[in-house]
Amino acid sequence: MPSNEKPRLIPTGKCWCGCGKDVGLGKFFAAGHDKIAEAALMALKYDGSVAQLLHAHGFGSHHSVRHAAVTDPDCSWEKCADCNYSGAPASIANHRKKDHP
């Protein structure tokens, strides 16, 4: 598999945060448990610091993660046509309604 391809993940019927709860078909997490798993991973691997997370992946003030997300063809992030805002398509749509009516 090329390095930019992500594996196809299959839900198991149990919450992936590790709590053991049963979850519905096609779901990886019980409600809200994705954020619990995210926080646990951040604490475990990055001392709870987003700056440490960015640094570990080569990003920071010297290398913009936002620019990388916008320019990566495998990432759905976009840049607002009227300003420096960037985000997921739904976020851009909300931003444009609010800031560029």
Side-chain angles (χ1 to χ4, degrees):
M1 153 181 355
S3 63
N4 63 343
E5 283 191 36
K6 294 171 185 65
R8 180 171 179 244
L9 302 177
I10 309 293
T12 62
K14 295 287 185 185
C15 182
W16 277 35
C17 86
C19 70
K21 285 190 177 188
D22 291 327
V23 295
L25 287 174
K27 298 198 178 292
F28 291 96
F29 298 98
H33 289 212
D34 55 332
K35 293 299 179 184
I36 293 170
E38 179 181 43
L41 180 62
M42 287 292 296
L44 181 66
K45 296 291 185 178
Y46 305 106
D47 215 16
S49 167
V50 173
Q52 289 292 340
L53 166 72
L54 292 172
H55 174 75
H57 293 275
F59 297 106
S61 60
H62 64 287
H63 185 225
S64 171
V65 68
R66 291 172 59 191
H67 177 76
V70 168
T71 58
D72 186 320
D74 294 325
C75 185
S76 64
W77 268 41
E78 303 170 355
K79 187 173 180 303
C80 176
D82 297 318
C83 69
N84 197 35
Y85 184 87
S86 54
S91 181
I92 293 288
N94 288 336
H95 159 76
R96 292 196 54 75
K97 284 181 205 169
K98 180 181 154 203
D99 295 331
H100 304 293

